[in-house]
């Protein structure tokens, strides 16, 4: 996987585009390049953004609240070009807990992190597809995955949810562009200095291992601005970017090599090889991974 850089002028294609965003760094980066933003979060925007950016308080686990936010964004701007599904929280449970109720019976695991980091993401993606389909020029969806989407990271619910985001990217890839004018991509940042990381944790891990939130924002905006990017998973680490999913050195190519698959072969739902080029699991035509 070859690393690449992202220059400021590569992000200028978001000019005049309408972007639904959760995340301050990406919001600022889009505005810097002339884009229009509709923001949502459970926390209010700081100034100066609070005075100039349309905003709605939204809990992403609520379908109703997300739906109302998309309606408001469309009413505000008349269209939606891009969506950044970025809401997330820290780990909640490990499954090793022995917490019990008043009868001494084991309690079910709390699903807060799974609900925010994955279910909320699914809600955003479904709404994004619906609203971007109305746009004659199409657009894109970017999801927040993580380095823990493809690496072993001992935070049970967080890592599980982020693996699921990668699964969502892989499953939707061939169902969207070019069948629909909607590209879907994801970002997979390494350690990043954001509001959800406690300052004490940064001190323990080491500030030198963290990248700024703007590094990640660049990876988000390039996926919106570059119309050739579809099905990518961009990993960022202190200013270095890599697409881990596509290309000859991407995960898909390596998987096919490990399974000794021939050119044009795909996997069926049962894992058996399919010899038909470009056929999906229902027998309909589908694009193969480059």
């Amino acid at each position: 996987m070859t690393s690449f850089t992202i220059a400021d002028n590569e992000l200028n294609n978001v000019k005049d585009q309408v972007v639904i965003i959760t995340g301050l760094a990406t919001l600022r980066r889009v505005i810097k390049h002339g884009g229009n933003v509709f923001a949502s979060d459970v926390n209010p925007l700081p100034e100066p953004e609070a005075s100039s950016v349309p905003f709605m308080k939204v809990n992403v686990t609520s379908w109703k609240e997300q739906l109302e936010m998309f309606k408001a964004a469309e009413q505000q701007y008349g269209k939606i070009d891009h969506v950044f599904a970025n809401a997330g929280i820290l780990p909640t449970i490990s499954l090793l807990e022995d917490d019990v109720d008043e009868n001494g019976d084991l309690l079910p695991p709390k699903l807060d992190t799974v609900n925010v980091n994955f279910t909320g993401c699914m809600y955003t993606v479904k709404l994004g597809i619906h609203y971007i389909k109305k746009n004659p020029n199409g657009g894109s969806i970017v999801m927040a995955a993580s380095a823990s989407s493809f690496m072993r990271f001992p935070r049970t619910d967080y890592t599980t949810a982020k693996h699921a985001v990668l699964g969502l990217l892989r499953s939707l890839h061939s169902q969207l562009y070019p069948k629909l004018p909607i590209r879907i991509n994801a970002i997979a940042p390494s350690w990043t200095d954001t509001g959800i990381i406690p300052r004490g944790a940064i001190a323990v891990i080491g500030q030198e291992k963290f990248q700024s939130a703007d590094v990640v924002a660049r990876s988000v905006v390039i996926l919106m601005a570059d119309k050739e990017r579809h099905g990518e998973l961009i990993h960022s680490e202190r200013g270095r970017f890599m697409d881990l999913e596509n290309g000859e050195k991407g995960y898909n190519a390596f998987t096919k090599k490990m399974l000794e698959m021939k050119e044009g072969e795909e996997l069926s739902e049962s894992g058996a090889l399919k010899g038909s080029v470009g056929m999906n699991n229902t027998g309909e035509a589908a694009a193969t991974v480059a």
Side-chain angles (χ1 to χ4, degrees):
M1 284 151 277
T2 305
S3 62
F4 61 93
T5 58
I6 300 173
D8 277 4
N9 61 4
E10 295 180 84
L11 309 179
N12 291 336
N13 281 344
V14 297
K15 180 178 172 60
D16 298 325
Q17 301 280 288
V18 176
V19 186
I20 289 181
I21 288 177
T22 300
L24 187 59
T26 305
L27 181 156
R28 288 172 172 169
R29 177 56 65 175
V30 169
I31 290 175
K32 180 176 181 178
H33 293 275
N36 300 305
V37 172
F38 195 100
S40 68
D41 204 330
V42 292
N43 301 308
L45 290 176
E47 293 292 354
E49 290 79 16
S51 299
S52 58
V53 176
F55 171 84
M56 182 176 290
K57 183 177 180 180
V58 173
N59 181 337
V60 295
T61 65
S62 168
W63 173 262
K64 182 179 179 181
E65 290 185 18
Q66 285 215 50
L67 176 60
E68 292 304 316
M69 181 264 294
F70 271 82
K71 287 180 177 179
E74 185 182 52
Q75 183 175 17
Q76 176 81 27
Y77 293 112
K79 65 169 184 172
I80 295 170
D81 295 292
H82 307 286
V83 174
F84 183 28
N86 181 48
I89 62 173
L90 291 173
T92 305
I93 52 93
S94 69
L95 299 184
L96 304 180
E97 297 87 2
D98 291 320
D99 44 345
V100 297
D101 63 16
E102 63 275 10
N103 298 316
D105 292 328
L106 189 66
L107 289 169
K110 297 178 181 178
L111 298 179
D112 301 31
T113 299
V114 173
N115 288 336
V116 172
N117 294 10
F118 181 59
T119 304
C121 178
M122 287 190 73
Y123 285 176
T124 306
V125 169
K126 181 173 176 62
L127 285 161
I129 292 171
H130 175 76
Y131 279 88
I132 295 173
K133 275 195 300 186
K134 300 179 183 182
N135 188 333
N137 296 317
S140 76
I141 298 168
V142 181
M143 301 180 294
S146 165
S148 64
S149 295
F150 56 88
M151 298 178 68
R152 293 179 175 178
F153 183 60
R155 295 296 179 267
T156 308
D157 51 1
Y158 186 89
T159 299
T160 300
K162 292 303 183 179
H163 268 68
V165 172
L166 177 55
L168 190 56
L169 172 69
R170 289 175 168 174
S171 62
L172 280 174
H173 165 262
S174 63
Q175 299 185 65
L176 297 178
Y177 184 85
K179 294 179 181 179
L180 295 173
I182 303 171
R183 297 176 293 108
I184 189 165
N185 297 284
I187 57 164
S190 183
W191 291 110
T192 305
D193 189 351
T194 67
I196 71 168
I197 304 293
R199 307 316 299 177
I202 294 177
V204 170
I205 296 169
Q207 182 68 55
E208 73 282 357
K209 295 182 180 179
F210 282 75
Q211 61 189 353
S212 73
D214 184 62
V215 172
V216 180
R218 285 174 174 271
S219 69
V220 176
V221 180
I222 192 64
L223 290 170
M224 298 173 181
D226 187 345
K227 294 182 179 180
E228 298 301 315
R229 296 183 182 273
H230 177 54
E232 294 191 6
L233 177 71
I234 293 187
H235 176 57
S236 57
E237 184 179 9
R238 289 173 290 179
R240 185 175 61 153
F241 303 98
M242 292 176 284
D243 174 20
L244 304 184
E245 190 72 356
N246 294 339
E248 294 181 357
K249 294 185 177 180
Y251 281 132
N252 289 296
F254 276 111
T255 299
K256 289 182 177 181
K257 289 179 181 178
M258 284 191 298
L259 297 176
E260 298 182 347
M261 296 170 64
K262 297 178 182 178
E263 186 68 26
E265 287 182 329
E266 294 182 339
L267 289 174
S268 69
E269 291 182 358
S270 64
L273 291 178
K274 295 176 66 174
S276 299
V277 177
M279 299 298 290
N280 66 18
N281 295 328
T282 61
E284 298 171 339
T288 56
V289 178

